[in-house]
């Protein structure tokens, strides 16, 4: 796969046409802006445009799971960026389900800090764009299972993944009760 080394829209267009001749590349910047500015229905909600920030873990939360300084900075920048869908990153639901010790963790002790961050996101977005009613900020709740740190929790043994993650055959899968 070629690395992104394109220097112009023409180069991108030529590469796109070579990879997928039936996919149309829109070179008109004004038309692209109009397309991206169109509102989108998501369930019973309507968000203000077609721009989205997808979840990406920063691994910069505090040890207790609260959003850290870099988390705050990142989401405040997202709020001022113009996207109307800010999909909040993978946030653990249990301590033993965290992928790393700096992963965000939503729990009663961190709930108020998450609420404060959401309020700030909405306030910053409104200050920048005049309205936050059409902004949607869902959160991706997660449990990292066999990729949890420090203890892996498996639902079943998969020989390929067990070998790749050094999961011993003696490790019991999580029970239905658990």
């Amino acid at each position: 796969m070629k690395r992104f080394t394109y220097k112009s829209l023409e180069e991108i267009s030529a590469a796109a046409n070579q990879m997928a001749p039936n996919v149309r590349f829109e070179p008109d910047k004004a038309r692209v802006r109009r397309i991206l500015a169109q509102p989108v229905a998501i369930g019973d909600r309507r968000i203000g445009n077609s721009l989205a920030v997808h979840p990406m873990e920063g691994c910069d939360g505090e040890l207790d799971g609260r959003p850290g300084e870099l988390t705050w900075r990142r989401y405040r920048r997202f709020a001022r960026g113009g996207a109307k869908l800010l999909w909040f990153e993978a946030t653990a639901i249990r301590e033993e389900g965290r992928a790393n010790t700096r992963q965000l963790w939503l729990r009663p002790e961190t709930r108020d800090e998450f609420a404060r961050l959401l309020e700030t996101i909405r306030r910053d977005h409104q200050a920048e764009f005049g309205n936050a009613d059409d902004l949607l900020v869902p959160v991706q709740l997660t449990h990292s299972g066999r990729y949890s740190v420090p203890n892996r929790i498996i639902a079943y043994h998969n020989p390929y993944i067990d070998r790749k993650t050094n999961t011993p055959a003696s490790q019991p899968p999580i029970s239905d009760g658990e």
Side-chain angles (χ1 to χ4, degrees):
M1 180 157 140
K2 183 178 177 183
R3 298 182 76 91
F4 194 93
T5 58
Y6 307 105
K7 304 291 186 224
S8 68
L9 288 176
E10 291 75 24
E11 287 182 26
I12 295 171
S13 180
N17 191 43
Q18 185 177 16
M19 288 185 271
N22 296 328
V23 174
R24 187 171 154 230
F25 182 80
E26 179 56 66
D28 181 351
K29 292 178 187 177
R31 186 163 192 280
V32 170
R33 283 189 192 98
R34 283 192 306 276
I35 291 167
L36 294 176
Q38 298 203 10
V40 175
I42 299 178
D44 62 348
R45 300 273 319 257
R46 182 176 163 104
I47 62 170
N49 62 38
S50 300
L51 296 174
V53 173
H54 293 277
M56 52 185 147
E57 281 183 72
C59 301
D60 49 20
E62 301 295 339
L63 292 174
D64 68 356
R66 289 178 296 116
E69 179 184 339
L70 294 175
T71 313
W72 277 84
R73 184 178 78 174
R74 182 171 58 258
Y75 282 94
R76 293 193 74 184
R77 287 178 175 180
F78 290 160
R80 294 187 305 269
K84 293 293 187 171
L85 174 61
L86 303 181
W87 200 292
F88 204 85
E89 67 195 78
T91 301
I93 58 168
R94 300 182 62 146
E95 183 173 24
E96 68 273 10
R98 294 170 86 183
N100 66 73
T101 58
R102 293 291 183 173
Q103 183 177 22
L104 299 176
W105 174 21
L106 184 57
R107 60 197 184 113
E109 295 83 358
T110 63
R111 181 191 67 210
D112 290 346
E113 189 75 0
F114 278 93
R116 196 165 69 82
L117 177 55
L118 179 59
E119 283 176 30
T120 301
I121 289 168
R122 291 189 178 288
R123 187 183 63 241
D124 286 359
H125 188 82
Q126 182 162 344
E128 190 75 26
F129 301 102
N131 181 18
D133 295 340
D134 58 352
L135 175 68
L136 183 60
V137 188
V139 62
Q140 177 186 347
L141 298 176
T142 189
H143 187 296
S144 295
R146 72 172 64 241
Y147 300 102
S148 298
V149 172
N151 300 316
R152 297 181 177 179
I153 299 168
I154 61 171
Y156 66 97
H157 281 281
N158 176 309
Y160 173 75
I161 298 174
D162 285 357
R163 190 169 46 255
K164 195 172 182 179
T165 59
N166 295 319
T167 302
S170 62
Q171 181 167 343
I174 194 168
S175 70
D176 288 341
E178 291 172 298

